[in-house]
């Protein structure tokens, strides 16, 4: 459920009548003025896809992260969206963002997660048409965007410096048992995560009662180097970034074990862009069938096949 937060009052479909009349009026005015609703110029088109083609550009919002968006003009998701733009017959444009504002710049709403719900806390200017930068599918994010077909597998692991005094868990072959073993291993230690991202400790039942939680103030892409430098004993890290870190700093870090079930990544689209989403899913299926996407993954994440070969060989 999406909620509007106004002066301490949360307004949603289950509790709207708990607020005063004045606040409800403010809520309605907020909706009328919200940039989430199509502007007059956008409503002149038959569909969201028509608008993209008429404008002649696909605006790809991305955060430099792992090998999805390298920050050097390439990356798996950069190439993916460049291919998609050519498929649509439009120009490609990259719009750099960060994790604090990326959803706002797609949807026009500034949001913050509240469990599996979402609080709307403000408005923003829409700067792009699709998010693609290794975006993990999470329950609260489904309230904000529509996800494409999964494009990449992932999982959240605990990573430590090589000198950390405890050894990695021994895999039991059962993911639930492995998660419990990892949580037991890190008990009493300092664990670094990042709020409002896929590396938020509370998403995986990691709380301050069992570990010392440190919220990293920087960007996700810098968390591996931060734990190497001693910012925390342990950091949460997803699979793609771990693979990049193991290659970039060989012998500097070790994987202690998982704290999440297997997860999936995908591209994120506005709720009012169903035709663009449909076009992407069709394009992605064709790219997969041709073998081109597999070659792109091999270029940017050759080690991922060792862990998740089944994802890339599925029908």
């Amino acid at each position: 459920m999406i909620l509007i937060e106004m002066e301490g009052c949360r307004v949603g479909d289950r509790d709207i009548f708990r607020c005063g009349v004045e606040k409800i009026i403010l809520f309605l005015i907020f909706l009328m003025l919200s940039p989430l609703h199509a502007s007059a110029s956008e409503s002149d088109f038959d569909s969201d896809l028509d608008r993209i083609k008429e404008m002649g550009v696909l605006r790809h919002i991305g955060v430099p992260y792992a090998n999805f968006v390298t920050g050097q003009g390439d990356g798996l998701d950069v190439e993916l969206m460049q291919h998609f733009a050519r498929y649509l017959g439009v120009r490609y444009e990259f719009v750099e963002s960060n994790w604090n504002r990326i959803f706002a710049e797609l949807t026009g709403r500034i949001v913050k997660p509240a469990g599996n719900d979402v609080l709307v806390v403000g408005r923003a200017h829409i700067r792009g048409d699709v998010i693609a930068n290794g975006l993990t599918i999470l329950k609260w994010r489904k309230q904000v965007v529509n996800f494409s077909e999964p494009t990449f597998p992932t999982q959240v692991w605990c990573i430590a410096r090589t000198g950390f005094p405890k050894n990695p868990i021994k895999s039991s072959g059962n993911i639930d048992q492995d998660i419990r073993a990892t949580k037991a291993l890190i008990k009493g230690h300092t664990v670094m995560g990042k709020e409002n991202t896929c590396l938020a400790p509370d998403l995986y039942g990691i709380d301050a009662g069992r570990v010392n939680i440190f919220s990293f103030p920087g960007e996700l892409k810098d968390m591996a180097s931060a734990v190497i430098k001693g910012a925390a004993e342990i950091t949460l890290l997803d699979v793609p970034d771990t693979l990049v870190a193991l290659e970039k700093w060989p012998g500097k870090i070790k994987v202690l074990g998982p704290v999440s079930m297997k997860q999936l990544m995908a591209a994120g689209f506005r709720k009012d862009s169903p035709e663009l989403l449909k076009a992407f899913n069709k394009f992605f299926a064709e790219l997969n069938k041709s073998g081109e996407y597999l070659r792109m993954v091999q270029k940017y994440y050759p080690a991922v096949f060792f862990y998740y070969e089944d994802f890339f060989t599925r029908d």
Side-chain angles (χ1 to χ4, degrees), residues 88-160:
L88 296 178
V90 299
R91 176 174 58 85
Y92 168 83
E93 180 181 309
F94 179 68
V95 179
E96 184 170 339
S97 187
N98 64 42
W99 289 106
N100 291 327
R101 65 175 192 264
I102 191 167
F103 290 105
E105 291 181 339
L106 178 72
T107 68
R109 290 190 294 192
I110 301 171
V111 302
K112 65 178 182 179
N116 290 330
D117 293 333
V118 172
L119 294 177
V120 179
V121 296
R123 298 184 300 163
H125 176 62
I126 292 175
R127 298 181 64 219
D129 308 299
V130 55
I131 295 172
N133 49 210
L135 187 65
T136 302
I137 300 172
L138 300 174
K139 288 182 179 179
W140 73 264
R141 288 177 175 173
K142 289 182 179 180
Q143 303 289 323
V144 183
V145 301
N146 285 335
F147 283 100
S148 69
E149 289 297 314
T151 58
F152 206 85
T154 189
Q155 193 173 20
V156 176
W157 291 342
C158 279
I159 309 299

Side-chain angles (χ1 to χ4, degrees), residues 189-208:
H189 292 281
T190 302
V191 178
M192 184 166 63
K194 187 167 179 64
E195 296 305 314
N196 302 332
T197 73
C198 66
L199 302 183
D202 63 319
L203 290 176
Y204 311 107
I206 300 173
D207 58 63

